Amino acid sequence: MLNENIKTIRKSKGLSQEELAVKLNVVRQTISKWEQGLSVPDSDMLIAISEALETPVCTLLGETVAEPKLDDLKVISEKLEIINLQLAQRKNARRKILSWLLLALCAVIITISAVLIVLNSPYLDWNYSDAETAVMGVAFHAFEWMFVRLAPIILIGAIVGIFLIRKKG
């Protein structure tokens, strides 16, 4: 029973006899003898085996551990496939949203640029002797000054982002 459990759990963890032997600081032949029932590990080694296999000692000593059934593996693989599909759908949805946001950003930049071109800096003709007019004129000028410098960079970045997103999709 112990020998079968060690072998079954070792295999389920994807360990070879050699790998388990390295973890336990014994030779591979020792693992082989335990699994064939030719010898039995002492209590200290049993604790070390349980730690190496991440399995309670009572499981090692208990009833025979059943290997995972093919149906169980099939169910797990189907669930993983569904999860992968859901993650792919989320990724595509996020990609589409980001693409639309970048397109909207381009449209906003182009619209603001068109408005600024049509207005042709009207604040230059304002009477700045009035304090409120002066504040509004300076604010409008500051906005226009920053927009003219930043908009081309943002627009180019958004266009590049759109092409990169579309290319990955």
Side-chain angles (χ1 to χ4, degrees):
M1 186 179 324
L2 173 63
N3 58 334
E4 294 168 3
N5 288 348
I6 291 173
K7 184 176 184 177
T8 304
I9 294 170
R10 174 185 59 78
K11 285 185 175 182
S12 73
K13 300 287 182 178
L15 294 172
S16 66
Q17 287 183 345
E18 183 68 34
E19 291 168 329
L20 181 58
V22 169
K23 284 186 173 194
L24 298 173
N25 293 323
V26 296
V27 294
R28 187 202 56 78
Q29 288 80 1
T30 304
I31 305 295
S32 177
K33 286 180 181 178
W34 291 340
E35 290 182 355
Q36 292 175 24
L38 300 176
S39 68
V40 179
D42 62 19
S43 60
D44 290 334
M45 188 54 73
L46 195 58
I47 293 170
I49 294 169
S50 75
E51 290 172 356
L53 296 176
E54 299 172 348
T55 304
V57 174
C58 60
T59 302
L60 291 172
L61 295 173
E63 295 183 16
T64 306
V65 177
E67 292 187 44
K69 296 178 183 173
L70 186 58
D71 292 339
D72 293 342
L73 293 176
K74 186 177 179 182
V75 169
I76 291 171
S77 67
E78 288 173 356
K79 288 180 181 179
L80 286 174
E81 187 175 335
I82 290 170
I83 290 170
N84 283 336
L85 287 173
Q86 290 171 343
L87 289 174
Q89 288 172 344
R90 282 188 193 160
K91 187 176 180 181
N92 286 335
R94 287 181 183 152
R95 186 176 287 143
K96 285 181 182 179
I97 289 170
L98 183 58
S99 178
W100 282 107
L101 287 174
L102 290 174
L103 280 171
L105 179 63
C106 290
V108 167
I109 289 173
I110 291 170
T111 304
I112 292 173
S113 297
V115 169
L116 290 176
I117 289 169
V118 168
L119 291 178
N120 197 23
S121 303
Y123 58 87
L124 295 176
D125 297 332
W126 293 354
N127 179 5
Y128 282 87
S129 59
D130 180 31
E132 290 179 13
T133 306
V135 169
M136 287 297 294
V138 169
F140 194 67
H141 178 70
F143 169 76
E144 187 179 71
W145 187 85
M146 286 295 290
F147 183 82
V148 167
R149 279 150 184 80
L150 294 179
I153 297 168
I154 295 171
L155 184 64
I156 290 169
I159 292 170
V160 168
I162 290 168
F163 282 114
L164 289 176
I165 290 170
R166 302 273 178 174
K167 188 176 183 180
K168 288 182 182 178

